[in-house]
Amino acid sequence: MSLFVKDPQARIDHAIDWSACLAGQTLAASEWRVEPDEADGVTVEAAAFEAQRSSARLTGGRLGRVYRLTNRVTLTDGQVADRSVTIRVEER
């Protein structure tokens, strides 16, 4: 799992390139979630996906808090895969 630092005022895009593990498949669906889900926490403002890549625009977050951002994708053959990153909120 990777660690990223985010300013609470920043609006950042995070993307995952799934191409290395698709084995001829493509993304059919993508969803993002942030844990913990709390007031003023990091939120997914917008999300998108293409055949081999998914992305999310992140906003907010409480100073000093650590969040887990998880992307769950469904492949064209029905397989489901997750990838997560850790986000720490700090003044930058």
Side-chain angles (χ1 to χ4, degrees):
M1 189 178 319
S2 301
L3 174 68
F4 294 92
V5 177
K6 182 193 174 306
D7 185 280
Q9 303 304 315
R11 191 178 254 153
I12 61 167
D13 290 339
H14 180 75
I16 296 177
D17 180 354
W18 290 88
S19 61
C21 60
L22 292 178
Q25 301 299 312
T26 59
L27 302 184
S30 172
E31 65 181 63
W32 293 86
R33 73 174 182 273
V34 178
E35 296 175 57
D37 180 11
E38 61 185 0
D40 300 325
V42 171
T43 60
V44 176
E45 180 181 79
F49 72 94
E50 303 166 356
Q52 298 182 342
R53 182 178 180 271
S54 57
S55 62
R57 176 160 294 149
L58 307 176
T59 61
R62 292 183 180 183
L63 281 175
R65 298 284 290 169
V66 175
Y67 298 88
R68 178 184 304 237
L69 173 68
T70 302
N71 181 214
R72 173 168 285 178
V73 296
T74 303
L75 307 182
T76 50
D77 69 354
Q79 293 183 72
V80 175
D82 288 351
R83 283 202 186 159
S84 297
V85 297
T86 301
I87 299 170
R88 186 176 63 227
V89 178
E90 296 179 359
E91 289 287 344
R92 302 228 10 170

